Amino acid sequence: MAKVINFNPGKNVKAGIFEKYMKDNDLNFFQRRDTHDEKDSVAFITAIPAGSHRLVAAVITDNSMYTLIRVHLGTAPKGPARKTFVPFLNKLNGEHAIVKYTIGSDDNVFLDVCVTSTSEHFDPETVRDTLNVLVFHLGECYEDVARRLDKPGDATDGFSL
């Protein structure tokens, strides 16, 4: 029989655990943004290197079992270039199991990783290791992605997740 996992839908425990981890490890490059929504979501925003670029990234915690790591890659191409860009992203999604490339309804392109855990077993070190994997991955492939975008991501242009 499957074990029943109980969540407290009103409290985001992971945000406090992640914030304490950052403080204990002198990681001061995240800005906390509380959304005050029904999931008690908290986004920790930073910029990460991606080849010669710096991209906006966020660790988004809430009261669910999911922690989302999202990186803004830029703006998807329009017109004929879009017809080759979508299959390109699908190919990348097929090659890389941990990351998923998506295009939002506003044409923003994201790289997402979902980390699952209960609040009691949330491990901020896993989130940090995943961010390190993302930095490595983007160092390897972002230039190829960026050249296909209408506008590459840029952490200095004020984009907010």
Side-chain angles (χ1 to χ4, degrees), residues 48 69 71 99 111 113 130-139:
I48 61 172
I69 302 170
V71 181
V99 299
L111 179 62
V113 176
T130 303
L131 281 166
N132 289 339
V133 168
L134 282 177
V135 169
F136 177 80
H137 172 73
L138 289 168

Side-chain angles (χ1 to χ4, degrees), residues 38-105:
E38 67 280 352
K39 289 187 175 183
D40 196 25
S41 301
V42 177
F44 296 91
I45 312 293
T46 190
I48 61 172
S52 62
H53 302 268
R54 291 191 55 75
L55 303 174
V56 175
V59 175
I60 304 168
T61 64
D62 61 22
N63 62 14
S64 74
M65 65 185 285
Y66 305 105
T67 297
L68 178 66
I69 302 170
R70 172 164 270 196
V71 181
H72 178 249
L73 302 178
T75 307
K78 295 170 183 53
R82 180 82 164 229
K83 291 179 181 169
T84 59
F85 185 68
V86 172
F88 170 72
L89 289 186
N90 287 336
K91 181 177 181 280
L92 288 175
N93 283 336
E95 293 172 353
H96 305 285
I98 189 172
V99 299
K100 291 301 167 208
Y101 291 84
T102 61
I103 302 173
S105 59

